[in-house]
Amino acid sequence: MKLMRMLFGRHPGLAVAISLLSISSAAIGVGVIAFINLRLAQPGTALGPALVQFAGLLLALLASGVIAQIGMTSLGHRGVLILRNTLLKRILDTSLARLGTLGPSRIQASLSADVQMLSVAFVRLPVVIHGALLSVAASAYLAWLSLPLFLATLALIGSALLVAWRLLGITHREVASAREAADQLYDSYRAVLEGRKELRLNRHRAQKVYEEEFERSACADRRHQARADLFYSAYSNWISVMLLAAIGLSFFLANHFGWADNAVATTFAVTLLYLSAPLGLVVGAMPGIISGNVALAKLDSLELAPYQEGFALPQALPADWQSLTLEDVHYRYGERDGEAGFAVGPLNLTLQRGEVVFLIGGNGSGKSSMARLLCGLSVPDSGRILFDGQPLDAAQMPAYRQLFAAVFSDFHLFAQLLDGAGATADSTLVAQWLERLALGDKVKPVNGRLPGTAYSQGQRKRLALMLAALEQRPVLLLDEWAADQDPEYRQLFYVGLLEYLRSTGKTVFAITHDERYFHLADRLLKMDAGQLVELQGLSRARASLDAVAALSSAD
């Protein structure tokens, strides 16, 4: 079982020790039954010594059982921790292209629903292991007592298990179908949370989302969950009935066919009744185990990057570099169900150190794709990235990405204030940037962290710019940074901050539509239908004049 390999794989020594302890506990449990049969149930046994020995066996059974259960449960909780750590690390190591294909709803569903189901499975798996070990030990003892009676009982229980396995298979399929419906539910949750303003304005759309997306998924989830409960209930009651049938069969064969004497039949009955409690726990744990297997299959279907322990820090590229080049770079994304998707390239660009470069273009022209290719977040389908004229291979790309700090249009505002080496940023430098961004009286960092992230979008973007600047990387990439800024802060950026960054030798690559400030850029680039051109001379002047004219006519 894959769950078992995952649980035992990281700590094999500990797992073997705990398993041996569980085997010992199971053997002692069967030994107690054998002692009752061979000593306490036999006439003429010295009562005093027998009771002392019986009490010792019971204490040993209690101690071994408690220690084994605690050890197995502890191992299960350790497995939960390893699972969570491993999954998040794999997500961090997975390419942006793959994460984009999966989408945030599917990833969020796995981080919450699948991890929760696997957590339950890991905690309950030790119960199943203990029950299985005890059943094996008890079966060996019953076979030693009477092989014919054991084989007959085994045939009955075996045929019952075939039916039970069929019921569990149906339960598994229904749980898997419910999990698929859960993906759709998470899409609905995300639509309601992220589109709450639009849905508040448009109640017709809100009704459609509720009735045609949420309710449909919720009803499908309820239907499959109810069917899973139905077949699991049939499974659990079937197992209980078959245990009683096995007890009846042992007495019937012993008394009517003479396969064993009545004492042996009684021992069979006592042993089967003793097994009913742990087997009941096993039966109770099966829904969690089934859900865990479904969740594990769902996680495997994400096809995330393989787990690698730790964060390998790339060796830095030479600090005295002068140029970064994209040479005949092609990239295609969005291919799905036979559709061609959108292609970018060939892209040819050389970015000189210390330049301020603006990139313009319409929506869907490929500006953001171009930016991701430039900073190494997207892997080109063909073409090369050159560092000071030398092509970089795949092993050098992590070091290449360390040249860039960025504020993307869909940025996330982190609370930690860090420098480029991952240490807490210098408080003096933080204070200076807060003053430059006109946030000194609004934001008071505490212990190297922002006091919160509940700011306006414009303030959040200014803080994101500060976080990028604190990393002190040589290239700063800004994707529509000024789009959410008031006019005064927009002018502060272009006239003040941009010149400051230029004076410190920073290379700035900014995607922008602020035509009034085009003249501040050393170079002006344009993306159009995935193609990159540089605007120079009259074409550059015309871009600014056309934009100003458009603004004037709009006024």
Side-chain angles (χ1 to χ4, degrees):
M1 184 186 291
K2 198 168 184 178
L3 278 173
M4 192 90 68
R5 292 197 301 270
M6 182 179 291
L7 182 61
F8 288 174
R10 291 292 184 86
H11 302 279
L14 180 61
V16 169
I18 295 174
S19 298
L20 290 175
L21 191 58
S22 295
I23 293 173
S24 301
S25 176
I28 294 173
V30 174
V32 170
I33 298 175
F35 186 84
I36 294 172
N37 182 48
L38 297 176
R39 296 291 304 277
L40 296 183
Q42 297 300 322
T45 300
L47 189 58
L51 289 177
V52 171
Q53 294 172 356
F54 184 60
L57 283 173
L58 291 178
L59 288 174
L61 178 61
L62 176 63
S64 63
V66 168
I67 296 173
Q69 286 293 318
I70 291 176
M72 293 294 282
T73 303
S74 175
L75 189 62
H77 287 298
R78 190 186 295 257
V80 171
L81 177 62
I82 291 173
L83 166 71
R84 288 174 173 160
N85 294 350
T86 300
L87 178 59
L88 197 59
K89 181 60 168 58
R90 291 178 66 193
I91 291 175
L92 288 172
D93 292 342
T94 300
S95 68
L96 291 183
R98 178 57 186 165
L99 294 180
T101 300
L102 293 173
S105 296
R106 187 174 176 186
I107 296 173
Q108 182 64 35
S110 289
L111 285 172
S112 52
D114 291 334
V115 169
Q116 179 61 31
M117 288 192 292
L118 273 169
S119 299
V120 172
F122 277 135
V123 172
R124 293 185 177 179
L125 188 59
V127 174
V128 176
I129 296 173
H130 180 74
L133 292 173
L134 188 59
S135 299
V136 171
S139 298
Y141 175 63
L142 293 179
W144 176 77
L145 282 176
S146 173
L147 185 59
L149 203 58
F150 168 73
L151 292 177
T153 305
L154 181 63
L156 175 63
I157 294 179
S159 60
L161 287 177
L162 290 177
V163 177
W165 188 258
R166 174 62 177 165
L167 293 173
L168 279 180
I170 299 175
T171 304
H172 185 279
R173 287 199 300 273
E174 293 299 327
V175 171
S177 298
R179 178 60 187 82
E180 292 297 328
D183 275 346
Q184 302 301 318
L185 274 176
Y186 275 92
D187 280 334
S188 300
Y189 295 156
R190 184 164 175 257
V192 169
L193 292 175
E194 296 184 4
R196 59 190 181 278
K197 295 185 291 294
E198 294 86 347
L199 296 178
R200 188 65 176 171
L201 291 172
N202 189 335
R203 303 308 286 171
H204 297 293
R205 183 179 297 278
Q207 182 181 7
K208 290 289 185 181
V209 169
Y210 182 83
E211 294 178 352
E212 297 183 8
E213 296 181 18
F214 168 73
E215 276 195 331
R216 185 178 300 170
S217 302
C219 288
D221 178 72
R222 181 202 60 79
R223 182 173 63 254
H224 291 298
Q225 291 284 8
R227 284 176 57 84
D229 291 342
L230 171 65
F231 285 102
Y232 169 70
S233 177
Y235 156 78
S236 59
N237 283 280
W238 173 257
I239 293 296
S240 299
V241 168
M242 286 300 100
L243 277 177
L244 292 176
I247 293 174
L249 178 66
S250 62
F251 276 109
F252 177 78
L253 294 176
N255 292 330
H256 291 276
F257 292 94
W259 285 22
D261 57 33
N262 197 56
V264 171
T266 301
T267 303
F268 263 74
V270 170
T271 304
L272 291 174
L273 287 174
Y274 173 68
L275 287 176
S276 63
L279 287 179
L281 293 175
V282 171
V283 169
M286 289 312 297
I289 301 299
I290 292 173
S291 297
N293 279 311
V294 170
L296 193 58
K298 196 70 176 177
L299 290 177
D300 287 342
S301 71
L302 297 180
E303 297 180 1
L304 300 173
Y307 175 74
Q308 294 180 349
E309 190 171 351
F311 290 83
L313 299 178
Q315 185 176 358
L317 294 173
D320 57 347
W321 62 273
Q322 295 302 314
S323 66
L324 309 176
T325 301
L326 301 182
E327 182 183 272
D328 293 330
V329 166
H330 289 79
Y331 181 69
R332 182 182 294 277
Y333 64 93
E335 294 183 338
R336 186 180 301 173
D337 300 329
E339 297 181 1
F342 183 77
V344 175
L347 301 177
N348 289 283
L349 170 67
T350 296
L351 188 64
Q352 300 293 338
R353 184 168 190 149
E355 281 189 311
V356 174
V357 177
F358 288 176
L359 176 65
I360 65 173
N363 292 333
S365 62
K367 301 186 302 298
S368 295
S369 298
M370 160 72 193
R372 288 194 295 269
L373 287 164
L374 177 63
C375 65
L377 290 178
S378 295
V379 179
D381 297 325
S382 62
R384 302 188 301 175
I385 298 178
L386 287 74
F387 179 80
D388 274 345
Q390 298 300 314
L392 299 174
D393 57 29
Q396 293 173 300
M397 290 308 296
Y400 174 77
R401 288 193 288 268
Q402 303 308 301
L403 300 174
F404 295 84
V407 181
F408 296 101
S409 57
D410 56 349
F411 72 97
H412 177 81
L413 182 60
F414 294 94
Q416 303 97 324
L417 302 175
L418 304 177
D419 63 16
T424 301
D426 181 79
S427 58
T428 302
L429 189 59
V430 172
Q432 290 173 353
W433 272 102
L434 288 174
E435 290 300 323
R436 289 191 189 103
L437 294 165
L439 292 170
D441 59 339
K442 298 180 178 68
V443 180
K444 304 295 182 184
V446 179
N447 297 325
R449 298 175 64 90
L450 295 175
T453 57
Y455 305 100
S456 70
Q457 183 68 358
Q459 290 172 335
R460 286 168 54 84
K461 273 200 169 180
R462 279 184 274 158
L463 288 171
L465 175 58
M466 181 185 74
L467 263 62
L470 291 175
E471 294 181 10
Q472 298 182 299
R473 304 285 176 87
V475 185
L476 183 60
L477 191 152
L478 303 174
D479 189 352
E480 300 284 5
W481 182 87
D484 297 297
Q485 302 300 321
D486 294 334
E488 59 178 308
Y489 295 119
R490 189 173 300 189
Q491 184 173 8
L492 169 68
F493 169 71
Y494 285 107
V495 178
L497 290 180
L498 203 59
E499 290 305 311
Y500 169 76
L501 293 169
R502 191 199 305 267
S503 69
T504 60
K506 289 288 188 290
T507 304
V508 180
F509 188 91
I511 299 174
T512 179
H513 288 287
D514 291 324
E515 299 86 355
R516 293 176 178 176
Y517 301 101
F518 282 175
H519 64 281
L520 297 176
D522 297 319
R523 298 164 64 192
L524 183 63
L525 309 176
K526 183 179 180 180
M527 286 292 293
D528 187 9
Q531 302 299 309
L532 178 67
V533 295
E534 182 170 355
L535 303 181
Q536 297 176 324
L538 290 176
S539 61
R540 175 169 175 168
R542 188 177 298 114
S544 297
L545 290 173
D546 290 346
V548 173
L551 287 172
S552 300
S553 63
D555 292 339

